[in-house]
Amino acid sequence: MISKEEVQILLDKLETSIADELESQQLDFKQWITRSFDDNIKLMLKMAVCMANGGGGSVVFGVADKVKGRSNAILGVPEDVDTTIFQKRIYEKTDPHLTPVFEDITVPEGSTRLLLMNVFPGMPPYTTTDGSATIRQGKDCIPYTGSLRRKMMDTSTQMDFTDEIIHEDWQSLFSHSAMERVREIMSRERVDESLLTLSDEDLLRSIGALKENFLTKGALLLVGKPEAISKYIPQYKWSFRKMISDTDYSHRDDGTHAIPVALYELERYIAVDNPMVTVESGLVHPEFSTYPTIALREALLNAFGHRDYRMNGTIMLKQYKDKLILTNPGEFVGGITPKNILHHPPVARNNHLMDLLDRLKLVNRSNLGVSRIFRSLLIEGKEPPIYREVGSNIELTFISSPLNKDFKNLINHMAQEKNHIDVDHLLILQYLIRHEEIDTSIAAEVAQRSMEQARELLSKMQNEFNLLESIGRGKGRYFTLSRSAYKLLKGELQYERQQILDKEAVKIRILSILKTDRSLTNKEIRQLTGMNQKQVQRLVKELEPDGVKIVGKGAGTKYIYSP
């Protein structure tokens, strides 16, 4: 991208050159179209798509490109045009969405105002919403045809924004406080002592943060001063809100500090209202917080590491009374979705930044971060995290839930028996605590596994771990907690009550309704009991000796009482 200062230097060359001669693969000059506001938006839309497909670039609006002399070429743009309108229209009219950054440039000529539009490199191909597209080649925007797209994808690799070099003295950009936070984290994670003894410069060189004696943008995000980050990555920002309701907050903070400093500040804010519970266990009294430190740290580092740094926006952490919501700009990449995020092979938008974080032991690149988030919550009997894709943002929610001491005891018991309980098993156990029964299809969905893998999980939990009992055969087969698991979690009497009394109570309730000459559908019984469709079908089958009959077929099926 070109800076405003660099544009000013180029404008001086207009005395002896025309703007067209100053253009390049990543720079274009365009004259403002005075006859129509919409025509300017169409031009900006075309140029945004063109530059994005060509690897990113900049367009200066308000300069005629075929005229020599500053006063003749610099015509300017109207003073009253609002750049937020341009951003919004370009975002709405591009697929995938583009969010160029606009900056004003003040000049003495013309209307005294020029517009600089910076389009950051992304993941092409980009098109307008009507399917048209161009691509920058040299100084021209040419049609981005199907064969050209295929050729470009076959011969090019994705540009990494965080791998770009900043050609400025790195020491003037360097933050000693950020580096100190980096070393604290490295020491806590027990990295190789030889790394900790290196000087700041040698450490940066050893991990690839210094290239050709210059910092990369990824390195700037780790050890840069806030003002340097704001200058070279203006779209970067983090924010915290202590929420009173969905619309009001009692405290806020915003910053552009380097990632390690931002991590420290955000964890500090959460700690103010992250109650601890002490569990007595012999001579050791371990403490457990509402939001486990491991889950929070991994989530925050993932948000910073995978954020789309080409987009304006903020990494926002909102702390409510009953939940935490973390959002970061950028959609899921590489086929990852909320439904497969737990086991999908790792995919990074910012490979260089993630490499730096990995080498400093701040993250793990083997896709263990998401598993750690799930496990640290589930192992304490808490609700699993909830991932969502909201527009062009990724949202992660932690539900405030107390430590389940009985569940923790069950996990400790399994460890003593030398049975390793992984995240898949924990998810199934958590589901059974809330729903009492699970079948293979639900287990596959809950654990984000295939049907075959889900069958293996359930079989192992039954036959090796003795955590489950199976009921029924074939497609009607389902699983419940075993007596031994139930005893550890809820006690022997609770197990007996759940197995006998609750089921009988449900039967009596359904029979009493049907005896009033009223029919019920499967859906209505589900609403009454909280059961799923298959559970209702099994229940009705058991009620047939009591006079319950099935009438109709398919969607019209009803249950009646006919003694």
Side-chain angles (χ1 to χ4, degrees):
M1 302 301 106
I2 193 170
S3 67
K4 292 195 295 184
E5 294 75 18
E6 290 170 318
V7 172
Q8 291 283 14
I9 294 172
L10 287 176
L11 292 177
D12 288 337
K13 297 182 179 181
L14 291 174
E15 293 296 349
T16 56
S17 305
I18 63 175
D20 183 71
E21 295 171 350
L22 306 177
E23 293 176 351
S24 65
Q25 170 72 26
Q26 294 186 312
L27 176 65
D28 206 323
F29 291 90
K30 291 297 177 187
Q31 183 174 338
W32 187 261
I33 304 172
T34 56
R35 67 175 180 270
S36 170
F37 181 79
D38 284 342
D39 285 345
N40 286 291
I41 290 180
K42 290 177 182 177
L43 177 61
M44 289 180 177
L45 178 62
K46 174 187 174 182
M47 294 306 300
V49 170
C50 172
M51 289 297 189
N53 284 328
S58 306
V59 184
V60 180
F61 292 95
V63 179
D65 61 356
K66 302 294 184 184
V67 183
K68 188 179 291 187
R70 277 188 62 121
S71 59
N72 296 323
I74 301 176
L75 305 177
V77 302
E79 285 294 323
D80 58 348
V81 295
D82 185 357
T83 57
T84 58
I85 296 176
F86 301 140
Q87 268 191 330
K88 183 174 183 293
R89 294 285 287 275
I90 292 172
Y91 178 86
E92 293 172 342
K93 294 288 185 180
T94 51
D95 183 19
H97 298 305
L98 287 171
T99 310
V101 176
F102 286 90
E103 294 184 86
D104 283 331
I105 299 176
T106 302
V107 290
E109 298 88 358
S111 68
T112 71
R113 181 194 188 194
L114 300 178
L115 280 184
L116 171 62
M117 180 178 77
N118 281 324
V119 182
F120 294 93
M123 300 180 71
Y126 291 92
T127 70
T128 61
T129 50
D130 62 9
S132 63
T134 57
I135 183 171
R136 189 74 169 177
Q137 287 203 347
K139 296 194 296 182
D140 300 316
C141 289
I142 65 173
Y144 199 11
T145 61
S147 58
L148 182 57
R149 293 183 196 185
R150 190 176 300 111
K151 180 180 177 182
M152 293 289 291
M153 294 180 73
D154 288 342
T155 59
S156 65
T157 57
Q158 174 59 41
M159 295 184 65
D160 183 352
F161 175 83
T162 62
D163 196 36
E164 294 178 12
I165 294 174
I166 301 172
H167 292 93
E168 186 173 329
D169 178 18
W170 72 270
Q171 296 188 45
S172 67
L173 310 175
F174 180 77
S175 166
H176 291 282
S177 61
M179 193 67 192
E180 189 62 32
R181 292 292 175 202
V182 168
R183 290 184 179 276
E184 286 178 9
I185 296 173
M186 292 173 64
S187 178
R188 184 179 65 226
E189 296 300 323
R190 299 178 182 177
V191 300
D192 190 336
E193 284 292 333
S194 62
L195 279 177
L196 291 172
T197 60
L198 294 176
S199 67
D200 291 340
E201 182 174 353
D202 288 340
L203 177 57
L204 292 174
R205 289 190 187 282
S206 69
I207 65 172
L210 275 176
K211 295 185 176 182
E212 304 171 16
N213 210 37
F214 296 109
L215 287 176
T216 62
K217 287 184 176 178
L220 186 69
L221 288 166
L222 287 179
V223 297
K225 296 176 181 177
E227 56 270 26
I229 296 175
S230 296
K231 177 181 178 181
Y232 289 103
I233 313 176
Q235 57 276 23
Y236 167 80
K237 184 181 178 182
W238 59 266
S239 301
F240 172 81
R241 300 288 185 272
K242 180 65 178 295
M243 304 301 294
I244 302 172
S245 66
D246 286 339
T247 55
D248 298 313
Y249 55 83
S250 60
H251 181 77
R252 67 170 289 175
D253 192 13
D254 305 280
T256 57
H257 304 86
I259 292 173
V261 179
L263 188 69
Y264 172 80
E265 293 296 329
L266 291 170
E267 287 183 332
R268 184 169 62 86
Y269 284 130
I270 296 170
V272 173
D273 192 14
N274 191 13
M276 304 287 290
V277 174
T278 302
V279 178
E280 294 187 12
S281 179
L283 298 175
V284 181
H285 294 179
E287 292 184 330
F288 299 90
S289 53
T290 300
Y291 303 109
T293 301
I294 293 175
L296 288 174
R297 188 163 295 149
E298 292 287 348
L300 288 167
L301 283 168
N302 278 349
F304 283 100
H306 295 293
R307 181 212 197 279
D308 190 340
Y309 287 100
R310 304 159 301 166
M311 295 175 57
N312 278 335
T314 182
I315 293 174
M316 173 68 76
L317 180 63
K318 292 182 179 180
Q319 186 172 16
Y320 295 83
K321 183 179 180 180
D322 59 348
K323 61 188 174 184
L324 284 175
I325 298 180
L326 176 64
T327 58
N328 62 275
E331 301 168 342
F332 287 113
V333 296
I336 295 177
T337 72
K339 293 185 177 181
N340 67 15
I341 190 171
L342 187 54
H343 302 297
H344 195 285
V347 181
R349 174 184 283 112
N350 308 306
N351 273 300
H352 175 64
L353 174 60
M354 294 303 291
D355 279 340
L356 296 179
L357 291 169
D358 183 35
R359 291 168 186 169
L360 293 171
K361 302 302 180 185
L362 274 68
V363 300
N364 185 292
R365 295 219 60 185
S366 302
N367 200 32
L368 298 181
V370 174
S371 293
R372 285 174 176 167
I373 294 172
F374 273 81
R375 183 175 180 82
S376 63
L377 291 163
L378 294 168
I379 204 167
E380 296 179 9
K382 297 176 179 177
E383 294 284 331
I386 302 169
Y387 284 90
R388 291 201 308 152
E389 197 168 55
V390 183
S392 294
N393 292 271
I394 296 171
E395 178 185 277
L396 172 59
T397 301
F398 292 135
I399 304 298
S400 174
S401 48
L403 172 73
N404 187 326
K405 297 179 183 178
D406 293 329
F407 191 88
K408 198 78 174 68
N409 289 337
L410 172 65
I411 301 305
N412 292 339
H413 172 76
M414 297 303 296
Q416 291 169 5
E417 296 292 321
K418 301 190 183 304
N419 290 321
H420 175 68
I421 301 294
D422 63 24
V423 173
D424 293 341
H425 305 130
L426 290 169
L427 284 166
I428 290 171
L429 286 173
Q430 280 295 322
Y431 182 90
L432 283 169
I433 289 174
R434 299 191 302 272
H435 298 89
E436 305 296 344
E437 297 179 6
I438 193 169
D439 60 23
T440 305
S441 62
I442 295 174
E445 181 180 348
V446 167
Q448 299 185 8
R449 294 292 193 182
S450 67
M451 290 288 286
E452 183 60 35
Q453 289 171 325
R455 275 190 285 270
E456 289 294 325
L457 282 170
L458 294 170
S459 176
K460 185 172 185 177
M461 293 179 74
Q462 178 185 7
N463 300 322
E464 294 186 32
F465 296 167
N466 194 30
L467 292 172
L468 305 182
E469 294 176 357
S470 64
I471 300 172
R473 302 178 67 180
K475 292 183 178 180
R477 191 184 191 198
Y478 63 99
F479 295 81
T480 64
L481 289 171
S482 67
R483 180 183 291 271
S484 59
Y486 221 112
K487 185 177 179 179
L488 285 168
L489 288 172
K490 301 183 180 181
E492 183 73 24
L493 291 177
Q494 283 286 338
Y495 174 82
E496 298 293 346
R497 183 186 70 83
Q498 178 62 37
Q499 296 299 306
I500 301 172
L501 297 180
D502 273 6
K503 195 165 188 179
E504 291 304 316
V506 169
K507 287 181 178 180
I508 292 170
R509 186 181 182 193
I510 299 302
L511 271 173
S512 65
I513 295 173
L514 292 175
K515 284 180 179 180
T516 63
D517 294 329
R518 191 185 149 193
S519 64
L520 288 172
T521 64
N522 189 292
K523 180 179 180 181
E524 288 170 333
I525 296 178
R526 294 202 308 269
Q527 292 171 341
L528 286 168
T529 64
M531 292 180 170
N532 62 35
Q533 187 177 27
K534 291 182 179 180
Q535 290 171 332
V536 171
Q537 290 170 352
R538 289 193 292 267
L539 178 70
V540 171
K541 195 75 174 172
E542 293 175 13
L543 286 171
E544 286 182 356
D546 297 305
V548 176
K549 288 183 171 53
I550 304 171
V551 295
K553 291 183 178 181
T557 300
K558 294 183 178 180
Y559 310 119
I560 63 171
Y561 178 70
S562 179

